[in-house]
Amino acid sequence: MNPVNDRTLSRAEKQKMPVALDVAVEVAKANGVCIRPILLRRLDTHTGQSEDVNVPCGSTRETVCPPCAKRNQQLRKAQCRQGWHLEAEPVTAPDPATEDQRWLIEFRADVQAKRDEVESNGMSEEVADWDAAIQAIDEEIRAAGMRGTLSGRAAPRRSRSTRRRQDAPDLPRRAMRPTTLGRTFTGTEGKVLRPSLFITLTLPSYGRIRSGQGVPVDPASYDYARAARDALHFSKLVDRFVQNLRRVAGYDVQYFATVEPQKRLAPHLHMAIRGTLPRAEVKAIAATTYHQVWWPEADEVRFEGEHLPVWAPRADLPEGQSYPDGQSYPDGQTGDYLDPDTGEVLPTWHEALDRLDQDETAEPLHVIRFGDQVDVQGVLAGTPDADQCIRYLSKYLTKSLGETLDADDPARREHAAHLVEALRYEPCSPSCPNWLRYGVQPKGAKPGMTPGRCRGKAHKPEHLGYAGRRVLVSRKWSNKTLAEHKRDRRTWAMEALGLADDPTAADPHRYVWKPVPAGDADTPSLTLRLLRMVAERQRWRATLLALDVRAEGRQIPAVEMREAA
């Protein structure tokens, strides 16, 4: 290759030359190296030496970092595969308490008794000191390896009637069995078959859709308002479905589910379920599952445009109360929003809910249900169908809901724009500023709130109203957390490469990690860091390809070995 002389090239010819950093990024992507590594400085407290470590950014979005997104996708596949057809109950019993943990609880009980005695004697000045001591002890309890809290719930949970709606038929209920495993069947030659289910749930129709295009036939008649509210509360509907499923199944059903967008941009659910139920029962559960949103009325607009509520600080504190620097109030607010015309204080979030509870004729703000399209498939462990379902579950995990939109299709762009506009003023949570538009102060109101400018995840175009988690995994699915699955894959790769495991595992308190400040003179450039990481990854890949590595009796593909490394 002849060297290029920049002096003899024209400006146009120079513009056609690829940028070295862009080429380094492409090479990093091809080798599965994070293109946005976070540089951290690790200090060894035993030796006093420090070194810079490139930590992958861990993004789950392909548009941000394709290698990290792909690695997360492979990790989710492994998690789904390991938990779908378990043959033994996962171990969930907690470890026995240690002597130090029992002593801390006894000490906490003594301090609580003294605090209660001081309060009963009316010595309010000493109560604060005892509360501070209790808070310090609670921190020591958490540091000692105990989960949960001893303080209990600060305020009672607000709830509505749990009676089912008259338009929803009752579901059968079976006695609960203490198991997470489904039924098994004996096949030919005495082989035990353990079938499971793969379920797809969708939302109802909001108007006629053009076949294969996912856009409304008539956008003017398409119910965008209902589509927006269904997307906002879809995660709650999924929770209700799981509750009903367990009641009908009669055992602790475990699931691995992902939320994806349909062509019409409505979220729908793919769910792998351990165990099996009759298809008719699953469809009946989906048909009778609903979720009621008991929120204040949000259909009548009271304030819009330039006519918006104004913020006014609270001038006086409540009687008999004292707050440090006048910044803490019972409802967490330091002021209130007023009607700009009358000066009337708008009802707070809790006051609005109190009025709703007192109204016997009140109706829920919204009722969300599943649509008629319910697909239920039986799956056996170790079959091509199981592998295909796992690939289908993780197909879109590297993309956001909005990234499935075809940028070259103007009809779909217009359809998405209509949905985003319908979401603009729809309240997404109790603390959403859009409540001011309907005459209610958001929960924890603060100055500067403006309807239509909520920063919540649901209002962003890339999420299309769904603010919940994309991957839903029950606690007893694989008896491991995602971090433990990641650690298992790393351990396998390190053993295959003949490398020492992470030194922080043996003594987690030996090393201190600190971010490297921007502009540090000793910090290498991003290009140099990528080159070093690519060279290291190529060495690992060559080692893995040279090894006859087998796991679970099958040859590990080179791609999976590279991702595991």
Side-chain angles (χ1 to χ4, degrees):
M1 179 183 297
N2 297 327
V4 178
N5 188 354
D6 292 348
R7 297 180 180 179
T8 62
L9 297 178
S10 65
R11 181 181 181 88
E13 292 174 330
K14 290 181 180 180
Q15 291 294 329
K16 294 181 180 180
M17 298 172 63
V19 180
L21 176 58
D22 295 341
V23 176
V25 170
E26 292 300 322
V27 171
K29 291 180 182 179
N31 285 272
V33 172
C34 174
I35 62 174
R36 301 172 66 250
I38 301 172
L39 191 61
L40 297 180
R41 189 156 292 163
R42 186 175 69 181
L43 174 64
D44 190 336
T45 57
H46 290 184
T47 63
Q49 297 180 349
S50 64
E51 62 174 333
D52 292 343
V53 179
N54 289 298
V55 179
C57 66
S59 175
T60 59
R61 297 270 297 277
E62 189 175 8
T63 55
V64 177
C65 181
C68 286
K70 185 68 174 179
R71 193 176 297 112
N72 178 75
Q73 186 183 46
Q74 296 293 335
L75 184 62
R76 288 297 189 180
K77 285 183 179 180
Q79 183 184 29
C80 181
R81 184 178 294 108
Q82 291 187 27
W84 199 356
H85 299 93
L86 283 184
E87 298 180 357
E89 289 289 348
V91 180
T92 57
D95 296 332
T98 63
E99 187 65 29
D100 292 340
Q101 291 172 342
R102 287 193 291 268
W103 182 87
L104 279 173
I105 296 298
E106 293 175 354
F107 182 53
R108 172 69 165 77
D110 293 338
V111 175
Q112 182 69 44
K114 294 180 181 179
R115 188 263 184 204
D116 295 340
E117 180 182 359
V118 170
E119 184 181 28
S120 62
N121 293 333
M123 305 171 66
S124 57
E125 296 180 356
E126 298 184 12
V127 170
D129 296 334
W130 285 110
D131 286 340
I134 289 175
Q135 184 178 0
I137 298 173
D138 288 343
E139 293 177 358
E140 291 186 20
I141 289 175
R142 286 191 292 270
M146 287 180 279
R147 55 190 172 95
T149 177
L150 298 174
S151 301
R153 184 177 295 276
R157 177 180 295 178
R158 189 187 300 269
S159 61
R160 301 287 298 188
S161 173
T162 57
R163 292 184 301 175
R164 292 188 64 81
R165 295 176 60 91
Q166 296 299 319
D167 55 356
D170 292 333
L171 291 169
R173 297 188 64 168
R174 296 186 175 94
M176 291 295 295
R177 293 177 288 119
T179 179
T180 64
L181 307 179
R183 294 182 297 173
T184 59
F185 303 87
T186 303
T188 58
E189 300 179 357
K191 183 178 181 181
V192 178
L193 303 178
R194 193 177 297 276
S196 296
L197 293 180
F198 182 76
I199 301 174
T200 300
L201 301 173
T202 62
L203 287 172
S205 172
Y206 309 111
R208 291 183 58 194
I209 296 293
R210 295 178 186 174
S211 178
Q213 299 182 23
V215 297
V217 174
D218 181 16
S221 62
Y222 193 81
D223 196 348
Y224 282 102
R226 185 183 173 196
R229 288 187 177 178
D230 279 0
L232 288 169
H233 303 287
F234 184 70
S235 60
K236 295 295 184 182
L237 183 64
V238 174
D239 291 341
R240 298 295 181 270
F241 175 76
V242 173
Q243 293 173 8
N244 292 336
L245 186 68
R246 287 172 173 168
R247 292 191 184 105
V248 175
Y251 70 98
D252 191 4
V253 177
Q254 300 300 299
Y255 60 90
F256 181 100
T258 59
V259 178
E260 299 174 358
Q262 293 180 292
K263 282 190 175 181
R264 58 176 179 153
L265 304 183
H268 72 303
L269 184 81
H270 298 301
M271 177 179 284
I273 291 178
R274 188 190 306 156
T276 183
L277 281 84
R279 287 180 173 84
E281 284 192 353
V282 176
K283 292 183 178 181
I285 295 170
T288 57
T289 297
Y290 64 88
H291 172 64
Q292 299 183 111
V293 183
W294 288 102
W295 281 357
E297 188 64 33
D299 293 324
E300 180 184 353
V301 178
R302 289 189 54 187
F303 305 99
E304 61 180 337
E306 298 297 330
H307 184 252
L308 296 175
V310 295
W311 174 264
R314 291 176 175 171
D316 301 322
L317 298 177
E319 295 184 4
Q321 302 271 358
S322 61
Y323 305 98
D325 300 329
Q327 296 299 317
S328 298
Y329 293 83
D331 56 3
Q333 297 182 198
T334 59
D336 291 290
Y337 279 96
L338 314 179
D339 188 315
D341 297 331
T342 64
E344 177 186 3
V345 178
L346 300 183
T348 64
W349 175 254
H350 295 288
E351 291 172 348
L353 291 185
D354 290 339
R355 295 179 185 178
L356 187 63
D357 292 340
Q358 296 169 4
D359 187 358
E360 297 294 336
T361 63
E363 294 291 333
L365 172 67
H366 184 61
V367 179
I368 176 175
R369 304 176 186 270
F370 289 113
D372 297 331
Q373 295 181 358
V374 179
D375 184 67
V376 184
Q377 301 178 22
V379 182
L380 288 176
T383 61
D385 289 341
D387 294 335
Q388 177 66 22
C389 289
I390 292 174
R391 287 193 295 268
Y392 202 69
L393 278 164
S394 58
K395 182 179 180 181
Y396 291 108
L397 290 184
T398 60
K399 301 179 182 295
S400 67
L401 295 180
E403 287 175 355
T404 59
L405 179 65
D406 188 357
D408 298 329
D409 190 342
R412 296 201 69 193
R413 289 202 308 270
E414 183 180 357
H415 177 46
H418 283 304
L419 181 59
V420 172
E421 182 61 26
L423 288 163
R424 181 181 179 185
Y425 293 108
E426 190 67 33
C428 65
S429 66
S431 58
C432 181
N434 288 340
W435 284 113
L436 294 175
R437 179 179 174 88
Y438 308 104
V440 176
Q441 295 193 62
K443 184 178 180 179
K446 54 186 178 181
M449 287 184 163
T450 304
R453 297 183 180 179
C454 179
R455 297 182 179 179
K457 177 180 176 181
H459 293 285
K460 297 180 179 179
E462 60 266 29
H463 297 291
L464 299 176
Y466 179 75
R469 292 175 288 126
R470 293 289 304 279
V471 181
L472 312 172
V473 186
S474 54
R475 295 185 178 181
K476 301 177 185 178
W477 175 255
S478 62
N479 202 30
K480 295 179 182 178
T481 64
L482 191 62
E484 290 172 336
H485 281 287
K486 186 176 181 180
R487 194 180 305 120
D488 290 345
R489 291 168 65 83
R490 176 180 175 84
T491 300
W492 172 84
M494 300 299 269
E495 291 178 353
L497 294 168
L499 300 176
D501 201 357
D502 188 357
T504 60
D507 186 3
H509 303 290
R510 175 177 177 177
Y511 298 91
V512 177
W513 296 80
K514 293 183 179 180
V516 178
D520 190 289
D522 299 330
T523 303
S525 64
L526 175 61
T527 306
L528 184 57
R529 291 159 56 197
L530 290 178
L531 294 178
R532 291 172 177 172
M533 295 170 68
V534 167
E536 183 181 41
R537 181 57 60 92
Q538 288 178 338
R539 290 195 301 270
W540 289 1
R541 186 181 182 187
T543 303
L544 285 175
L545 292 176
L547 294 174
D548 183 20
V549 181
R550 296 181 180 274
E552 299 179 1
R554 65 183 181 91
Q555 182 70 31
I556 303 298
V559 175
E560 187 172 337
M561 287 191 288
R562 184 181 64 189
E563 293 298 337

